[in-house]
């Protein structure tokens, strides 16, 4: 495992740097490095490392969501208002509906299977979006109208909404029954995650007064965030709770209650993210079966771009009658397209369950990562200086 970790960081670092020199997003190089090193490439990563890949990816996500929470001012979200609420679920609903309408006409699948496919593809990637939006917040682009904050908030809840729908459609596709109470998991997961996160942030700021060393403070905050994710896993099947949303809520509360720590902790988490980013995207790449992607063909690529266009229309509807200009709305539509972590995490579940549509879902999930993650990141970097106002 130690050799595998060394290869992961070294190859991922140089692959990301090479991509950057070619004016491509670093994550594109890291994804390719993961594919190269992974079980469907040169098989240089040990089984022991791959067996904990999902946990390591979640650790990296926790780091960047903590960083986001410590930088996100709740007053900015209040100022955004209705669009921030709609961005949490409406674009995903548009994309799933588009999948239900289009996929059965291209592939031989049922409406329920198409809805299941839509719930896999419909989640936006916080791993791609969060660091990009943090960069914009720090550089002052779009800050006057809280555009990065709008996208950050929507992306953090969007995943919760889509994953609950995925569990419902999975049950239906497997021949199970679903009640109206199943849909109640969506608001319960969101509200409970936010509530527990806020309570944890308030308790944490009191505990931090007893810890003077900044490295130890970081360890305490990171440990609390990991406990929240562990709480989600321990309650699974009994109470719906979004651990990642709780992590971000904890960061927001800590930033609100303790301005001192809001200044000292973010730079340290930014440094941690440098390593977390490499680990996350290399391991996502290692989870990608390139053979499935190669077998999909042009119909799957066509489907991905069709539903992505409908998703962008959903974002436009969220921003209807807002005070954003046409250029700013276009940027939000572009920024809400990257897919990666959720697709890597749940794309293989239908196949493991033995569902007839499992291989197709995994294939399209893989393709959506390879297409939208680098393309979305590249388009964000390319367009933000032209589409957003800069506030010095």
């Amino acid at each position: 495992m130690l050799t595998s970790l060394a290869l992961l960081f070294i190859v991922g670092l140089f692959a990301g740097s090479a991509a950057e020199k070619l004016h491509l997003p670093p994550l594109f190089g890291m994804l390719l490095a993961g594919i190269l090193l992974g079980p469907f490439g040169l098989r240089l990563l040990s089984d022991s490392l791959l067996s904990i890949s999902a946990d390591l990816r979640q650790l990296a996500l926790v780091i960047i969501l903590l960083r986001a929470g410590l930088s996100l001012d709740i007053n900015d979200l209040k100022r955004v208002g209705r669009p921030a609420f709609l961005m949490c679920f409406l674009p995903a609903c548009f994309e799933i509906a588009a999948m239900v309408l289009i996929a059965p006409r291209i592939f031989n699948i049922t409406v329920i299977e198409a809805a299941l496919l839509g719930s896999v593809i419909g989640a936006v990637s916080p791993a791609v979006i969060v660091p990009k939006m943090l960069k914009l917040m720090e550089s002052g682009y779009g800050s006057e109208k809280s555009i990065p904050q709008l996208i950050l908030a929507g992306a953090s809840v969007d995943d919760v909404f889509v994953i609950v729908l995925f569990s419902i459609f999975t049950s239906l596709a497997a021949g199970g029954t679903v009640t109206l109470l199943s849909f109640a998991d969506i608001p319960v997961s969101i509200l409970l995650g936010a509530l527990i996160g806020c309570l944890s942030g308030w308790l944490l700021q009191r505990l931090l007064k007893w810890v003077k060393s900044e490295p130890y403070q970081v360890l305490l905050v990171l440990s609390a965030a990991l406990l929240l994710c562990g709480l989600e896993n321990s309650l699974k099947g009994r109470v719906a709770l979004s651990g990642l949303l709780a992590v971000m809520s904890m960061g927001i509360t800590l930033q609100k209650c303790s301005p001192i720590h809001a200044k000292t902790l973010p730079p340290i988490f930014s440094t941690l993210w440098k390593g977390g980013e490499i680990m996350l995207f290399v391991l996502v790449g290692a989870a990608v079966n390139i053979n499935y992607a190669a077998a999909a063909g042009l119909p799957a690529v066509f489907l991905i771009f069709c539903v992505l266009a409908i998703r962008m229309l959903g974002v436009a509807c969220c921003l209807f009658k807002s005070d954003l200009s046409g250029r700013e709305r276009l940027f939000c539509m572009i920024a809400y397209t990257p897919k990666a972590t959720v697709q890597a995490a749940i794309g293989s579940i239908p196949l493991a369950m033995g569902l007839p549509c499992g291989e197709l879902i995994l294939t399209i999930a893989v393709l959506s990562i390879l297409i939208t993650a680098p393309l979305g990141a590249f388009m964000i970097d390319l367009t933000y200086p032209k589409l957003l106002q800069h506030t010095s």
Side-chain angles (χ1 to χ4, degrees):
M1 185 187 289
L2 294 178
T3 303
S4 297
L5 279 171
L7 284 172
L8 182 152
F9 284 114
I10 292 170
V11 178
L13 174 64
F14 282 103
S17 299
E20 202 165 15
K21 287 183 179 179
L22 295 172
H23 303 289
L24 294 169
L27 69 87
F28 182 70
M30 295 171 195
L31 285 171
L32 292 180
I35 294 171
L36 179 68
L37 295 173
F40 307 105
L42 300 177
R43 300 180 182 179
L44 296 177
L45 299 181
S46 68
D47 292 338
S48 54
L49 177 64
L50 294 174
S51 67
I52 59 169
S53 172
D55 292 322
L56 292 175
R57 294 200 305 265
Q58 188 164 36
L59 172 61
L61 268 180
V62 164
I63 291 171
I64 194 58
L65 287 174
L66 273 174
R67 174 68 181 85
L70 288 166
S71 302
L72 197 57
D73 190 341
I74 198 69
N75 292 324
D76 291 333
L77 292 180
K78 289 178 181 177
R79 190 161 62 244
V80 173
R82 175 186 57 87
F85 172 73
L86 294 177
M87 290 277 278
C88 295
F89 65 90
L90 199 58
C93 287
F94 269 64
E95 190 166 6
I96 293 170
M99 192 69 78
V100 169
L101 291 173
I102 300 170
R105 289 171 170 78
I106 298 177
F107 302 102
N108 186 26
I109 59 175
T110 66
V111 169
I112 293 297
E113 290 172 336
L116 178 58
L117 173 58
S119 66
V120 172
I121 305 302
V124 75
S125 174
V128 178
I129 289 177
V130 171
K132 296 293 181 187
M133 295 306 109
L134 286 175
K135 178 183 174 183
L136 297 187
M137 289 164 63
E138 290 165 358
S139 58
Y141 280 94
S143 298
E144 187 177 342
K145 296 182 182 178
S146 303
I147 293 171
Q149 291 87 338
L150 161 70
I151 297 170
L152 266 179
S156 65
V157 180
D158 172 274
D159 288 359
V160 179
F161 175 72
V162 170
I163 288 172
V164 173
L165 288 183
F166 170 76
S167 66
I168 292 170
F169 292 137
T170 300
S171 178
L172 287 173
T177 57
V178 172
T179 65
L180 287 175
L181 286 176
S182 302
F183 291 92
D185 283 348
I186 296 172
V188 169
S189 178
I190 293 169
L191 292 173
L192 196 57
L195 180 63
I196 291 178
C198 290
L199 179 61
S200 301
W202 180 80
L203 290 172
L204 199 56
Q205 59 91 20
R206 298 181 73 87
L207 289 174
L208 285 173
K209 294 176 182 177
W210 298 90
V211 181
K212 302 302 180 184
S213 169
E214 285 184 5
Y216 288 155
Q217 289 175 349
V218 170
L219 282 176
L220 181 59
V221 173
L222 184 57
S223 298
L226 295 176
L227 284 174
L228 289 175
C229 292
L231 181 63
E232 177 188 8
N233 293 329
S234 64
L235 293 177
K236 191 168 288 183
R238 289 176 290 171
V239 179
L241 167 69
S242 170
L244 293 179
L245 184 60
V247 168
M248 182 176 276
S249 300
M250 184 180 75
I252 293 172
T253 306
L254 184 58
Q255 178 258 134
K256 190 77 174 175
C257 295
S258 181
I260 294 174
H261 295 115
K263 291 181 180 178
T264 59
L265 295 180
I268 303 176
F269 278 107
S270 294
T271 302
L272 286 176
W273 170 243
K274 298 295 183 184
E277 180 183 31
I278 297 172
M279 183 170 65
L280 174 62
F281 289 112
V282 172
L283 289 175
V284 167
V288 167
N289 188 338
I290 200 68
N291 297 322
Y292 281 127
L298 290 177
V301 176
F302 173 75
L303 176 64
I304 289 169
F305 278 107
C306 282
V307 298
L308 209 57
I310 302 299
R311 179 186 185 87
M312 293 174 75
L313 179 61
V315 175
C317 290
C318 295
L319 303 175
F320 183 65
K321 289 190 175 179
S322 69
D323 63 346
L324 272 60
S325 67
R327 289 188 174 192
E328 290 165 338
R329 295 182 193 194
L330 177 59
F331 175 79
C332 293
M333 292 162 68
I334 293 169
Y336 228 53
T337 57
K339 316 293 178 72
T341 40
V342 173
Q343 288 70 28
I346 67 175
S348 61
I349 292 177
L351 181 62
M353 292 175 62
L355 297 179
C357 59
E359 188 168 325
L360 176 68
I361 289 176
L362 179 57
T363 300
I364 297 178
V366 167
L367 272 176
S368 71
I369 295 171
L370 293 176
I371 293 171
T372 66
L375 180 62
F378 175 73
M379 290 302 295
I380 290 171
D381 288 339
L382 181 68
T383 59
Y384 81 81
K386 303 172 184 176
L387 301 180
L388 298 181
Q389 290 184 351
H390 181 257
T391 306
S392 55

